[in-house]
Amino acid sequence: MSSAAMAALLLGSGAARALEKGARGRWPKIAPPQSPRISHVIDQLGRQRDDAYSWMKFIPAEGERNRTNLPAPVAKMLADENAYADAVLEPTKAAQAELVRAMLARSSGAVAAPALEKDGWTYSSAIPEGQVHARYSRQKDGGPSELLVDESARAKGQPYFRSTGHQPSPDHRYFAWAEDVIGNDRHRICIRDNQSGDIRTVVGKDAYGYGGLVFAPSSRWLFWIWRDARNRPTRLYRTSVDGKTTDLVYEEKDPAIFMQVKRTAADGFIALTLAGPETAEVRLLSAADETAAPAVVWPRKAGVLYEIDEWNGGLIALTDADEAFDMSLLRLDPKDFRKLATLVPHRPGTPILQIQPFATALARLERVDGLHRLAILRPDGSEQVIAFNDPAYAIELPPEQAYDASSVMIVHQSPKSPRRWIRIDLASGKQTVIQQQQVANFDPDAYEVERLFAPAPDGEMVPITLLSRRGAPKDGKAPLLQYGYGSYGVPSDPEFSIPALALVDRGWRYAIAHVRGGSEKGRRWFLGGRKFTKRNSFTDFIACAEHLAAGGYTAKGKVIAYGLSAGGLLVGASMNIAPTLWGGVIAQVPFVDMLNTMSDGAHPLVPLFRPDWGDPLSDPKAYDYIASISPYENVQAAAYPPLLCTAGLKDDRVAYWEPAKLVAEVRRRSTSGNPALLHTDMDSGHQGSADVTSEYQQKALFWAFAMRCVS
C-alpha cells in the first residue's frame, strides 16, 4: 500500500490531501481534525437538504452553554479544533508578540474621553497606565476626585468582564451601570449610593445592558429591560433605587421587536422605543407621573420608523414616514402627538443619523456623499454646517450631553488622525479642540488616506477608504487587508485604529470596502444589499479587491479578506464566489450557516431580522435565495485560501457551530491544501472581554495569520 493510500485510510481523503500538498511549506504539515458527517435530512417547503454537521449544535435545556455541560462529541470537536489551530499558528507566535508590543507602545498612558459636565459635576473615566479596565470618577466644581467604580477590582477573578450603560442619576445621588461577568450579554445592574459609597446589585441577572437602563427624571427609580430565556429584550421594569420595589411597566409579545429605553433630552419623559427593521413604536412616561402607564405616540405601522425626543418646549420626531426614506425631522404637539411643523425636510441622499437637542439649538449628524457632517439648527430657523476636508473621516456625536450646555461635543477621527474631542459653540460655531487621543511614536504625515471608488458589475460606484504609508509605491507588491461588513444598514466608518497602523507599518495597506447593505450612501445603499439584493454586497466586495489590484495598490492573491459577524457572511460568500482572489480569509464570529439559522424560529434574532434576510420557513423564494448565497451551503471543490474563523462558546447571536460547520466543509472540499482553522474562546460570547490587551492580542493573531498567508 502506498503512503498516500495509507494516509487516506487513516486520516480521510481531505487530511491526506493536506499532508500531500502541505500548502507549499508555508504552514506546518499537521493533519487537521476530521469531523464526522452524520446525515441529517431536512425537508422544508418541498426542498430537501442534508445538514451533515448538524450534530455540532448544542443548546442546553436550561441555563447557559459552558465548558461543563457540552456533549462529549462537541467538547472533543472544539478541543481538537483549538489544538489544531494553535499548532498551525505556532510559527506566528513571535510575530503575534511583536505586534502586541507595537500596539501597546502606541497606546501611551490613560485612555479617556473628556469629562461629562452636568450641574457643576464632571464625570470622567480612564484606563490607568498599566491596567486594562477603566476607573470611573467625578468631581464637584474642581474639588477632589471621588472614585465611583474601579472596574479592575470588579473584574478580578472573573474569566470575562464587560460593562456598559454608566450614568449618574439626575440628582447626582447615584451612579449606575450594567456588567456582564459571564460572556453571554446577560447583565446584572449595579447602583452606587454616592452618599454612603455602598454598591448594591439591584438586578442580579438577565438585564439588557445596551440602551437598556436609565434613571427616572426624579432619580427615585431605575427603568431597565429584561431578557427572556431566548435572550430577547421583552419587558421594561421600574425598580426603586434601593432595590426593594420592582414593577412591570410593559411587556412586548412580538418576537420581531426589540426595546431600548432613555430619558429625553430635557428630562421631561422616559421614552421606550419598540422597533424592528421596518416598524417602530414609542411609548412615553411623563416626568410628572413616573408610575403611570406609558402613552403611545404613534401606533406601530409597517414601513414606518421613528424615534422621539424633546426640544424647544415640545416633542420632535425623527422619522421616515411619508416616504422620507433618508429621514425628516418633525415638531409634534406634546399632548396629542400630531404633527405641527417640519423642522428638516426629507433630502434624498442626505440621511439624518442622529439628533442631540440642547436648550438653545438642535445638533444633528448626517451624511453628504457618504461623509459625515454636523448641522446646528437654532430656534429662529438659522443653521450652521460643520464638515472637514479629510478624504475620509468619521464624526461621533456623544449622547447624554447636558441640555443646558452652550456647546456641543463631537469626536473627529480618520484612519491617520487620532480621536479629537472638539467643542463647538452653539451660537457662533467656533471650534475648540479640548482633548486628543495620545498616540506615542506616531507621525500622521507618515501616512496617507485615500477615498477611491470601485465600479461594481451593475455600474454602482463602491466607496473604498484606503490607508497606506505615504509614498508607498503602486507596483502591485504590497499585501492588503480588506475589511467589510455591509448588513443591517450599519456603516463601516473610517475610524482611527492602532492595530491598522501596526499592519501598515509592516508594508501593508488597509482598506475598508463600503459595500451595499451598509448605509454609507443612505437608505437606498442599504436596500441595495439586503434580502433579495444581498448578492450585491459580495460582488461589491470582490469589485473593491479587483479595483485595488488593478490600480497597483496590491495584487490578486495578496488581499486578505476580513469580516466580523454579518461581515463573516460577506467574506465567506466572497470566498466561495472567487476563492483564488484572496490570499486568506479571516472570519470573526461569522454568520455563515445562514439557511439553517434563518430556519430556526427559536433563535433570539431570527424573528427580528426576517425583513433583512427573508423567511425560509414560509417563503420558497426566500429559501431558494438564501440557499444560493449561504457560505456553508455553497462550499465547492476549489482551491480555497487559508481560512481562520473564530467563535465564542457562549455566543447567542452567532453560535460557534456556524464557523465550525464552514471550516469542516471547506476542509473537506478544498483542493489547495491550505489550512482551515477554527478557534473558539470558551469563556466569551459574541464579544471578547473588554480590555485593550485582549483586543490587541486578537488583532495580532489575525495580522500574524494574514502575514503568514502571503509570506
Side-chain angles (χ1 to χ4, degrees), residues 371-390:
L371 294 177
H372 286 147
R373 73 178 187 185
L374 186 79
I376 299 172
L377 175 67
R378 303 181 182 93
D380 62 5
S382 63
E383 189 168 281
Q384 188 165 6
V385 172
I386 308 294
F388 296 86
N389 293 324
D390 309 84

PDB file of all heavy atoms in Angstrom, residues 371-390:
ATOM      1  N   LEU A 371     -20.024  61.050   3.540  1.00  0.00           N
ATOM      2  CA  LEU A 371     -19.190  61.547   4.635  1.00  0.00           C
ATOM      3  C   LEU A 371     -20.036  62.304   5.657  1.00  0.00           C
ATOM      4  O   LEU A 371     -21.010  62.979   5.314  1.00  0.00           O
ATOM      5  CB  LEU A 371     -18.092  62.460   4.091  1.00  0.00           C
ATOM      6  CG  LEU A 371     -17.038  61.778   3.205  1.00  0.00           C
ATOM      7  CD1 LEU A 371     -16.052  62.818   2.674  1.00  0.00           C
ATOM      8  CD2 LEU A 371     -16.299  60.682   3.960  1.00  0.00           C
ATOM      9  N   HIS A 372     -19.637  62.209   6.913  1.00  0.00           N
ATOM     10  CA  HIS A 372     -20.362  62.871   7.989  1.00  0.00           C
ATOM     11  C   HIS A 372     -20.263  64.393   7.910  1.00  0.00           C
ATOM     12  O   HIS A 372     -19.262  64.945   7.439  1.00  0.00           O
ATOM     13  CB  HIS A 372     -19.784  62.448   9.345  1.00  0.00           C
ATOM     14  CG  HIS A 372     -20.152  61.066   9.760  1.00  0.00           C
ATOM     15  ND1 HIS A 372     -19.317  60.257  10.494  1.00  0.00           N
ATOM     16  CD2 HIS A 372     -21.265  60.326   9.551  1.00  0.00           C
ATOM     17  CE1 HIS A 372     -19.894  59.098  10.732  1.00  0.00           C
ATOM     18  NE2 HIS A 372     -21.075  59.112  10.159  1.00  0.00           N
ATOM     19  N   ARG A 373     -21.278  65.034   8.434  1.00  0.00           N
ATOM     20  CA  ARG A 373     -21.197  66.453   8.762  1.00  0.00           C
ATOM     21  C   ARG A 373     -22.159  66.709   9.916  1.00  0.00           C
ATOM     22  O   ARG A 373     -23.089  65.932  10.170  1.00  0.00           O
ATOM     23  CB  ARG A 373     -21.538  67.342   7.566  1.00  0.00           C
ATOM     24  CG  ARG A 373     -23.008  67.385   7.185  1.00  0.00           C
ATOM     25  CD  ARG A 373     -23.240  68.338   6.025  1.00  0.00           C
ATOM     26  NE  ARG A 373     -24.658  68.531   5.750  1.00  0.00           N
ATOM     27  CZ  ARG A 373     -25.136  69.235   4.733  1.00  0.00           C
ATOM     28  NH1 ARG A 373     -24.292  69.811   3.877  1.00  0.00           N
ATOM     29  NH2 ARG A 373     -26.440  69.374   4.567  1.00  0.00           N
ATOM     30  N   LEU A 374     -21.919  67.803  10.624  1.00  0.00           N
ATOM     31  CA  LEU A 374     -22.769  68.205  11.737  1.00  0.00           C
ATOM     32  C   LEU A 374     -23.509  69.469  11.341  1.00  0.00           C
ATOM     33  O   LEU A 374     -22.911  70.398  10.792  1.00  0.00           O
ATOM     34  CB  LEU A 374     -21.926  68.476  12.984  1.00  0.00           C
ATOM     35  CG  LEU A 374     -22.736  68.760  14.251  1.00  0.00           C
ATOM     36  CD1 LEU A 374     -23.243  67.457  14.852  1.00  0.00           C
ATOM     37  CD2 LEU A 374     -21.892  69.520  15.274  1.00  0.00           C
ATOM     38  N   ALA A 375     -24.803  69.498  11.629  1.00  0.00           N
ATOM     39  CA  ALA A 375     -25.608  70.694  11.371  1.00  0.00           C
ATOM     40  C   ALA A 375     -26.191  71.183  12.692  1.00  0.00           C
ATOM     41  O   ALA A 375     -26.682  70.383  13.501  1.00  0.00           O
ATOM     42  CB  ALA A 375     -26.715  70.385  10.371  1.00  0.00           C
ATOM     43  N   ILE A 376     -26.132  72.495  12.908  1.00  0.00           N
ATOM     44  CA  ILE A 376     -26.669  73.112  14.122  1.00  0.00           C
ATOM     45  C   ILE A 376     -27.865  73.974  13.732  1.00  0.00           C
ATOM     46  O   ILE A 376     -27.727  74.962  13.007  1.00  0.00           O
ATOM     47  CB  ILE A 376     -25.596  73.966  14.825  1.00  0.00           C
ATOM     48  CG1 ILE A 376     -24.415  73.083  15.243  1.00  0.00           C
ATOM     49  CG2 ILE A 376     -26.184  74.675  16.039  1.00  0.00           C
ATOM     50  CD1 ILE A 376     -23.229  73.873  15.765  1.00  0.00           C
ATOM     51  N   LEU A 377     -29.048  73.562  14.178  1.00  0.00           N
ATOM     52  CA  LEU A 377     -30.292  74.278  13.895  1.00  0.00           C
ATOM     53  C   LEU A 377     -30.700  75.062  15.137  1.00  0.00           C
ATOM     54  O   LEU A 377     -30.777  74.503  16.237  1.00  0.00           O
ATOM     55  CB  LEU A 377     -31.397  73.288  13.517  1.00  0.00           C
ATOM     56  CG  LEU A 377     -32.794  73.865  13.309  1.00  0.00           C
ATOM     57  CD1 LEU A 377     -32.843  74.781  12.083  1.00  0.00           C
ATOM     58  CD2 LEU A 377     -33.823  72.738  13.167  1.00  0.00           C
ATOM     59  N   ARG A 378     -30.973  76.343  14.956  1.00  0.00           N
ATOM     60  CA  ARG A 378     -31.367  77.188  16.081  1.00  0.00           C
ATOM     61  C   ARG A 378     -32.872  77.458  16.038  1.00  0.00           C
ATOM     62  O   ARG A 378     -33.504  77.322  14.987  1.00  0.00           O
ATOM     63  CB  ARG A 378     -30.567  78.487  16.048  1.00  0.00           C
ATOM     64  CG  ARG A 378     -29.049  78.224  16.070  1.00  0.00           C
ATOM     65  CD  ARG A 378     -28.223  79.487  16.056  1.00  0.00           C
ATOM     66  NE  ARG A 378     -26.782  79.168  16.035  1.00  0.00           N
ATOM     67  CZ  ARG A 378     -26.049  79.055  14.940  1.00  0.00           C
ATOM     68  NH1 ARG A 378     -26.616  79.265  13.733  1.00  0.00           N
ATOM     69  NH2 ARG A 378     -24.771  78.761  15.006  1.00  0.00           N
ATOM     70  N   PRO A 379     -33.468  77.828  17.171  1.00  0.00           N
ATOM     71  CA  PRO A 379     -34.921  78.029  17.210  1.00  0.00           C
ATOM     72  C   PRO A 379     -35.432  79.059  16.210  1.00  0.00           C
ATOM     73  O   PRO A 379     -36.593  78.974  15.769  1.00  0.00           O
ATOM     74  CB  PRO A 379     -35.167  78.488  18.655  1.00  0.00           C
ATOM     75  CG  PRO A 379     -34.060  77.872  19.440  1.00  0.00           C
ATOM     76  CD  PRO A 379     -32.870  77.913  18.526  1.00  0.00           C
ATOM     77  N   ASP A 380     -34.589  80.019  15.791  1.00  0.00           N
ATOM     78  CA  ASP A 380     -35.045  81.015  14.817  1.00  0.00           C
ATOM     79  C   ASP A 380     -34.979  80.500  13.376  1.00  0.00           C
ATOM     80  O   ASP A 380     -35.267  81.238  12.426  1.00  0.00           O
ATOM     81  CB  ASP A 380     -34.231  82.305  14.945  1.00  0.00           C
ATOM     82  CG  ASP A 380     -32.735  82.103  14.648  1.00  0.00           C
ATOM     83  OD1 ASP A 380     -32.348  80.984  14.257  1.00  0.00           O
ATOM     84  OD2 ASP A 380     -31.971  83.078  14.817  1.00  0.00           O
ATOM     85  N   GLY A 381     -34.570  79.232  13.210  1.00  0.00           N
ATOM     86  CA  GLY A 381     -34.507  78.644  11.874  1.00  0.00           C
ATOM     87  C   GLY A 381     -33.153  78.753  11.204  1.00  0.00           C
ATOM     88  O   GLY A 381     -32.924  78.139  10.161  1.00  0.00           O
ATOM     89  N   SER A 382     -32.235  79.538  11.771  1.00  0.00           N
ATOM     90  CA  SER A 382     -30.896  79.635  11.185  1.00  0.00           C
ATOM     91  C   SER A 382     -30.139  78.333  11.404  1.00  0.00           C
ATOM     92  O   SER A 382     -30.406  77.585  12.355  1.00  0.00           O
ATOM     93  CB  SER A 382     -30.133  80.812  11.795  1.00  0.00           C
ATOM     94  OG  SER A 382     -29.933  80.615  13.183  1.00  0.00           O
ATOM     95  N   GLU A 383     -29.166  78.076  10.526  1.00  0.00           N
ATOM     96  CA  GLU A 383     -28.470  76.797  10.571  1.00  0.00           C
ATOM     97  C   GLU A 383     -27.008  76.986  10.218  1.00  0.00           C
ATOM     98  O   GLU A 383     -26.658  77.829   9.390  1.00  0.00           O
ATOM     99  CB  GLU A 383     -29.136  75.820   9.598  1.00  0.00           C
ATOM    100  CG  GLU A 383     -28.649  74.395   9.713  1.00  0.00           C
ATOM    101  CD  GLU A 383     -29.533  73.427   8.943  1.00  0.00           C
ATOM    102  OE1 GLU A 383     -30.618  73.065   9.458  1.00  0.00           O
ATOM    103  OE2 GLU A 383     -29.161  73.056   7.818  1.00  0.00           O
ATOM    104  N   GLN A 384     -26.169  76.192  10.820  1.00  0.00           N
ATOM    105  CA  GLN A 384     -24.739  76.213  10.534  1.00  0.00           C
ATOM    106  C   GLN A 384     -24.260  74.782  10.343  1.00  0.00           C
ATOM    107  O   GLN A 384     -24.632  73.882  11.104  1.00  0.00           O
ATOM    108  CB  GLN A 384     -23.962  76.881  11.672  1.00  0.00           C
ATOM    109  CG  GLN A 384     -22.495  77.104  11.369  1.00  0.00           C
ATOM    110  CD  GLN A 384     -21.861  78.081  12.348  1.00  0.00           C
ATOM    111  OE1 GLN A 384     -22.484  78.496  13.314  1.00  0.00           O
ATOM    112  NE2 GLN A 384     -20.621  78.453  12.102  1.00  0.00           N
ATOM    113  N   VAL A 385     -23.421  74.564   9.320  1.00  0.00           N
ATOM    114  CA  VAL A 385     -22.950  73.229   8.978  1.00  0.00           C
ATOM    115  C   VAL A 385     -21.458  73.134   9.273  1.00  0.00           C
ATOM    116  O   VAL A 385     -20.681  74.033   8.933  1.00  0.00           O
ATOM    117  CB  VAL A 385     -23.232  72.900   7.503  1.00  0.00           C
ATOM    118  CG1 VAL A 385     -22.562  71.593   7.102  1.00  0.00           C
ATOM    119  CG2 VAL A 385     -24.737  72.825   7.260  1.00  0.00           C
ATOM    120  N   ILE A 386     -21.061  72.038   9.922  1.00  0.00           N
ATOM    121  CA  ILE A 386     -19.664  71.787  10.260  1.00  0.00           C
ATOM    122  C   ILE A 386     -19.228  70.524   9.513  1.00  0.00           C
ATOM    123  O   ILE A 386     -19.825  69.452   9.675  1.00  0.00           O
ATOM    124  CB  ILE A 386     -19.477  71.561  11.771  1.00  0.00           C
ATOM    125  CG1 ILE A 386     -20.117  72.696  12.582  1.00  0.00           C
ATOM    126  CG2 ILE A 386     -18.009  71.379  12.107  1.00  0.00           C
ATOM    127  CD1 ILE A 386     -19.472  74.034  12.424  1.00  0.00           C
ATOM    128  N   ALA A 387     -18.191  70.640   8.682  1.00  0.00           N
ATOM    129  CA  ALA A 387     -17.638  69.495   7.959  1.00  0.00           C
ATOM    130  C   ALA A 387     -16.118  69.609   7.960  1.00  0.00           C
ATOM    131  O   ALA A 387     -15.552  70.616   8.408  1.00  0.00           O
ATOM    132  CB  ALA A 387     -18.184  69.430   6.540  1.00  0.00           C
ATOM    133  N   PHE A 388     -15.442  68.606   7.438  1.00  0.00           N
ATOM    134  CA  PHE A 388     -13.986  68.563   7.448  1.00  0.00           C
ATOM    135  C   PHE A 388     -13.474  68.216   6.055  1.00  0.00           C
ATOM    136  O   PHE A 388     -14.186  67.627   5.238  1.00  0.00           O
ATOM    137  CB  PHE A 388     -13.492  67.547   8.478  1.00  0.00           C
ATOM    138  CG  PHE A 388     -13.859  67.912   9.894  1.00  0.00           C
ATOM    139  CD1 PHE A 388     -15.090  67.539  10.421  1.00  0.00           C
ATOM    140  CD2 PHE A 388     -12.996  68.645  10.686  1.00  0.00           C
ATOM    141  CE1 PHE A 388     -15.452  67.882  11.712  1.00  0.00           C
ATOM    142  CE2 PHE A 388     -13.339  68.998  11.979  1.00  0.00           C
ATOM    143  CZ  PHE A 388     -14.569  68.622  12.496  1.00  0.00           C
ATOM    144  N   ASN A 389     -12.220  68.576   5.777  1.00  0.00           N
ATOM    145  CA  ASN A 389     -11.657  68.419   4.436  1.00  0.00           C
ATOM    146  C   ASN A 389     -10.951  67.093   4.206  1.00  0.00           C
ATOM    147  O   ASN A 389     -10.433  66.856   3.122  1.00  0.00           O
ATOM    148  CB  ASN A 389     -10.668  69.563   4.141  1.00  0.00           C
ATOM    149  CG  ASN A 389     -11.363  70.911   4.041  1.00  0.00           C
ATOM    150  OD1 ASN A 389     -12.485  70.993   3.543  1.00  0.00           O
ATOM    151  ND2 ASN A 389     -10.713  71.952   4.528  1.00  0.00           N
ATOM    152  N   ASP A 390     -10.904  66.234   5.207  1.00  0.00           N
ATOM    153  CA  ASP A 390     -10.215  64.961   5.035  1.00  0.00           C
ATOM    154  C   ASP A 390     -10.868  64.141   3.921  1.00  0.00           C
ATOM    155  O   ASP A 390     -12.091  64.177   3.749  1.00  0.00           O
ATOM    156  CB  ASP A 390     -10.278  64.153   6.338  1.00  0.00           C
ATOM    157  CG  ASP A 390      -9.824  64.951   7.531  1.00  0.00           C
ATOM    158  OD1 ASP A 390     -10.673  65.689   8.087  1.00  0.00           O
ATOM    159  OD2 ASP A 390      -8.657  64.853   7.903  1.00  0.00           O
TER     160      ASP A 390
END
